[in-house]
Amino acid sequence: MGIELGDTVTFNYQGELEDGSTFHTFEEEPLTIIIGSNNLVKGLERAVIGMEKGEEKELTLAPEEGYGILNPELIQKADISVFENTDINLEVGIVMKTPHGNCHVTDVSEETVELSYNHPLAGKTLIYKVKILEVAKK
């Protein structure tokens, strides 16, 4: 009997982007979640429903099934002078905690820093290779 809503599932996965870069590998710690608890991107959670222990699957998720579409309203530019008296090493990709939540730097110029409050994987097509390790039925 395959995985159903409410089952506790332990699985491992590799996550890649279309350019071949990897955001999660099989060498990392396996995840244990309850299916239906919204702890996974919705496309990945839907894909494991029906799978069984030991089964493997590869799938490609559009942004809407992953971390969502990139929302331009969540991207802001700040004057670089705001960071002058800090120890922050401004470079694309770093994550910062702000009073408005976590953001990541998406661009740095001589005058401005672009900050995005979108998830770093928003707007990206995700490629997952999943292996189910354990299934505890509800």
Side-chain angles (χ1 to χ4, degrees):
M1 184 173 212
I3 295 169
E4 301 173 295
L5 287 173
D7 291 348
T8 300
V9 178
T10 300
F11 68 100
N12 209 338
Y13 70 94
Q14 179 165 310
E16 298 176 356
L17 302 178
E18 290 180 300
D19 66 6
S21 61
T22 302
F23 60 88
H24 191 277
T25 67
F26 282 116
E27 287 78 42
E28 295 179 52
E29 192 72 26
L31 296 177
T32 300
I33 59 136
I34 297 172
I35 298 300
S37 62
N38 297 319
N39 288 322
L40 292 176
V41 295
K42 60 185 171 183
L44 180 56
E45 187 168 68
R46 271 187 253 179
V48 300
I49 292 175
M51 291 180 72
E52 296 181 3
K53 180 179 176 177
E55 189 174 350
E56 297 181 39
K57 183 187 278 190
E58 183 171 330
L59 59 136
T60 300
L61 300 180
E64 299 85 354
E65 292 291 304
Y67 289 94
I69 301 293
L70 200 61
N71 181 348
E73 292 179 13
L74 297 177
I75 299 172
Q76 301 175 352
K77 288 198 181 223
D79 193 283
I80 200 152
S81 65
V82 171
F83 300 94
E84 281 179 356
N85 294 320
T86 69
D87 60 353
I88 298 171
N89 183 15
L90 291 173
E91 57 184 50
V92 172
I94 67 162
V95 176
M96 295 188 289
K97 293 183 183 208
T98 75
H100 308 291
N102 289 347
C103 67
H104 59 281
V105 175
T106 54
D107 189 48
V108 179
S109 72
E110 288 184 19
E111 298 174 0
T112 61
V113 176
E114 185 178 83
L115 305 170
S116 176
Y117 288 88
N118 288 288
H119 188 282
L121 296 175
K124 307 225 186 273
T125 297
L126 308 174
I127 302 161
Y128 286 100
K129 295 175 187 162
V130 179
K131 182 173 183 178
I132 305 299
L133 303 174
E134 295 291 335
V135 178
K137 300 305 281 175
K138 61 180 172 178

